[in-house]
Amino acid sequence: MKGPAVPPAAPDLENLTPEQRALLMLRLRRQAQRGPEGAGAAPAPRVTSIPRAPRDRPLPLSFGQRRLWLTDRLQPGNPAYNVPFAFRVAGRLDGVGLDAAFAGIVRRHESLRTRFVADPLEDVEPLQVVGPPAPVPVPRVDLGNLPEDTRLAEARRLAAEVARHPFELESGRLLRVVLLALGTDDHALLTVLHHIAADAWSIGIFIREFIALYQAHLEKRPPALPELPVQYPDYAAWQREHRAEELAAQASFWKERLSGIPALDLPADRPRPAALSGRGAQTSRWWQQPVLEGLRAFARRQGVTVFMSLLAAFQALLARSTGQDDVSVGTPVAGRGREELEPLIGFFINTLVLRTDLSGDPSFSALLARVREATVEAFAHQDVPFEQVVEAVRPGGAPLFRVMFNYQSRPEVSAGIPGVELSRLQFEAGVSMFDLTLDCREIGDSLLVETEYSTDLFDAPTVERLLGHLETLLAAALAGPMRPFSELPLLSPAERHAVLTEWNDTPGETWDTKGFVHAQFADQARRAPDSLALVFGEEGEGAWTYAELRRRAGSLARRLRSLGVGPEVRVGICAGRTPERVASVLAVLKAGGAFVPLDPDDPRERLAWIFEDARPAVLLAEERLRGRLPEGARFLPLESAWEEGGDPPDCPRLSPENAAYVIYTSGSTGRPKGVVVPHRGIAASARAWQEEYGLTGRVRSLLQVAGFSFDVFIGDLVRALTTGAELVLAPAGVLTDPALLHGWLSRRRIDFADLVPAVARALVEHLEAVDATL
């Protein structure tokens, strides 16, 4: 369980966070530009007190409460919005005093005895109804009958169970307390509040008031707690009635700042479900004194805060992990800018979206400058409720961020009761509000770095590695802030050794001519010449045997050799979904050259770019496609490229390191980039596929649906023709018609098909629909 941030009751200038000080300086600069009061400038507006809202009419919810209420309606029982904390209590515990203290807190704070109901006239808009003070049930659970060495573990298990138990917002009971007896003078006190009634600041107030009320009961005197100036419903009514117009005007900043904001897609261990369940876990590590001291010194030199330095490192890590250069995270702010709100238990916390542009691969120092600007601007507009920001930017309510970042530098309040020792009981509630939350807390001279993550998406080792990568990246950034952030290392020395040495420590392989893919195909053709190698046509009516495919590929290879094709000579191939295209690939490999796939379905501009970049010496293409292709290479029409004769002799100079083919990326993030794949690489892939999938002798038929310019096409060809299976060339329409795809799979009795998730999902939905009609 994370310890909440508990600020002092009335923070002075020394206790301001670095971000608050940055915001203060920004406001002072703006005031200086306007000029002092009384010197021709308009006087500063008078801060008015929050009025008491009449209790003889319906009370509205604050903007934040309304969001949580709607969330509860959409996901009833989601425990992610429960706020748990627990204490180990050593010493004699007065049960009557305990009950009195909890009842006193509920009596003082209307937020803890509020029901949330929908107005029957409006049917949707919720209202809050404050109930009368009432005792708080405190069930007792005796664990003294368990073996002593198991009691604490059971206490933690029960704490997590209590923390996950849902609240009913209509009941008016937003505080749950359970007392566990571990021994005669040893207890665990479990407390859970719903977020709609409390935030992290509220927990500090709750603890202070509990101690004051409990101690007053023991000493038989009135508690020394001042009367609260206002109650939370007063704040909610004031916010909705008096600040709505002002906040709506400020929301224009956020609308412009967050326009076009992309979703952050962290690589996860599992696909994202339609809605997260709220289940989560935690992991943490300590960064010891030298790290924190170095971080503070670095921040001073750079003219930034520790918060900004950690945020820059975190966003750099997220950019590296996702490949995105537009990275946004959320961060919480207390939302208690008025003095009368400081002693209230309630939901005041607001969320800011910190969006950083990492384009251009800036140095870490330049990235810090971007983070500093974005942070100061965001804190200057922190009063706008997050709900209004969402409505302004994404009226549909889509999330603006999936990852949360929090940094706390204040110590927790330390207070006690005579004769009783209080200490935090650490436990995991097993919940997560976001995909990932990074929480950094200064504790003494060390930094506790904790993560809370959705177990719907991530496994513990993945998040632990992420924490390690953050520490490595940050250390490198502090040592070399002028390095581009993309060059900052992520792997620890142990990980680098594992990747470069341990995982790479494989026995050297003996290579002979049979290792080449085209040689493996030739072996299959010699063993079973009459077996079907290719099936093609709109209905699968055409077929070539292994002997026919070998003959055609061999004759074309002889022609290519006569044109000078050999090692490192590139041959462009442009053809439709025909058996000649497959034969051309095998022919180029047999001749010793490297083929360059040119998909005729690609745009003319992409074909021109690939042709210009790859500079093939020979272009094998269907005559009908000549007009779509650039000039500059020896053009060889596929229709007349075949010549009679057997296989040419093996190329004596061909090496496993020579290029087998050049494949180009999609170019979605810029110009397409060519990747040269050597014969050793394609042969290793063939061997791995055969071993991993058990293809040889087990798989009879593979469906080929991928486009020519994708690596999947090469994989399909290799997986089939090096194992003696038949490669079924499906027409292009199969990908967009699940019924047609189902027909091909059934008719040809396909054993293996490499399908992208969208195609596979459409096929499954089609099959489910077919089953439903039977």
Side-chain angles (χ1 to χ4, degrees), residues 80 239 564 575 721 746:
Q239 184 194 53
L721 301 182
S746 302

Side-chain angles (χ1 to χ4, degrees), residues 88 143-153 182-183 186:
R88 186 88 176 266
L143 302 181
N145 59 337
L146 298 177
E148 188 173 354
D149 59 348
T150 65
R151 295 174 191 171
L152 192 56
L182 305 176
D186 188 8

Side-chain angles (χ1 to χ4, degrees), residues 439-452:
D439 189 272
C440 303
R441 286 189 289 141
E442 291 186 23
I443 299 180
D445 290 325
S446 300
L447 194 67
L448 176 60
V449 183
E450 293 183 297
T451 57
E452 181 180 272

Side-chain angles (χ1 to χ4, degrees), residues 225-558:
L225 292 174
E227 183 180 353
L228 296 174
V230 292
Q231 290 286 342
Y232 190 88
D234 302 320
Y235 161 78
W238 170 78
Q239 184 194 53
R240 297 294 292 265
E241 295 175 16
H242 299 280
R243 299 209 70 195
E245 185 175 344
E246 172 193 348
L247 296 175
Q250 292 185 31
S252 61
F253 162 81
W254 290 106
K255 185 175 182 179
E256 179 180 352
R257 180 79 180 97
L258 304 181
S259 175
I261 188 171
L264 189 68
D265 291 318
L266 276 173
D269 296 302
R270 282 169 293 281
R272 173 179 294 278
L276 297 181
S277 67
R279 292 186 295 269
Q282 296 176 355
T283 186
S284 64
R285 61 173 58 193
W286 286 91
W287 291 357
Q288 300 303 329
Q289 181 179 3
V291 177
L292 183 56
E293 287 181 349
L295 187 57
R296 289 169 174 165
F298 172 82
R300 286 193 297 269
R301 291 194 303 270
Q302 294 288 325
V304 298
T305 64
V306 173
F307 173 94
M308 295 174 185
S309 302
L310 287 169
L311 174 61
F314 187 43
Q315 290 187 310
L317 176 64
L318 295 174
R320 294 278 295 277
S321 301
T322 61
Q324 299 175 225
D325 57 16
D326 187 346
V327 176
S328 297
V329 301
T331 196
V333 290
R336 297 177 185 246
R338 304 177 66 89
E339 184 177 352
E340 61 263 51
L341 303 180
E342 292 178 3
L344 288 186
I345 292 176
F347 180 49
F348 297 95
I349 194 169
N350 198 18
T351 303
L352 306 183
V353 182
L354 302 179
R355 182 182 188 182
T356 301
D357 174 17
L358 294 94
S359 62
D361 195 15
S363 67
F364 189 75
S365 181
L367 174 59
L368 264 177
R370 299 183 188 183
V371 168
R372 176 177 53 204
E373 180 181 2
T375 301
V376 171
E377 285 186 346
F379 275 83
H381 296 83
Q382 64 175 289
D383 292 337
V384 184
F386 181 68
E387 299 70 35
Q388 291 191 340
V389 174
V390 173
E391 186 61 28
V393 179
R394 286 185 174 154
L400 297 177
F401 65 91
R402 292 172 173 172
V403 174
M404 177 70 81
F405 174 74
N406 190 24
Y407 169 73
Q408 303 169 25
S409 60
R410 293 192 181 100
E412 292 184 8
V413 168
S414 59
I417 304 170
V420 174
E421 181 182 347
L422 296 178
S423 60
R424 290 271 182 191
L425 176 65
Q426 301 294 335
F427 70 95
E428 284 197 26
V431 299
S432 179
M433 197 177 299
F434 304 101
D435 289 10
L436 179 72
T437 297
L438 180 71
D439 189 272
C440 303
R441 286 189 289 141
E442 291 186 23
I443 299 180
D445 290 325
S446 300
L447 194 67
L448 176 60
V449 183
E450 293 183 297
T451 57
E452 181 180 272
Y453 59 93
S454 169
T455 51
D456 292 344
L457 301 173
F458 304 106
D459 294 327
T462 300
V463 180
E464 289 167 359
R465 281 195 301 272
L466 195 71
L467 275 184
H469 294 169
L470 176 62
E471 187 171 6
T472 302
L473 183 149
L474 180 62
L478 300 187
M482 300 310 296
R483 296 173 65 181
F485 84 89
S486 67
E487 296 181 6
L488 299 174
L490 299 181
L491 301 181
S492 67
E495 287 177 313
R496 287 181 61 83
H497 182 267
V499 172
L500 299 178
T501 304
E502 296 175 12
W503 298 353
N504 213 28
D505 186 17
T506 55
E509 58 182 286
T510 301
W511 187 277
D512 59 26
T513 57
K514 293 184 178 180
F516 293 105
V517 163
H518 57 272
Q520 294 180 50
F521 159 72
D523 284 345
Q524 292 293 338
R526 280 190 289 268
R527 280 196 292 268
D530 296 328
S531 296
L532 289 185
L534 298 178
V535 175
F536 50 89
E538 287 300 318
E539 299 296 331
E541 67 277 8
W544 283 1
T545 64
Y546 269 84
E548 175 70 7
L549 178 58
R550 182 188 179 195
R551 183 186 67 79
R552 288 178 177 262
S555 69
L556 181 55
R558 180 180 291 275

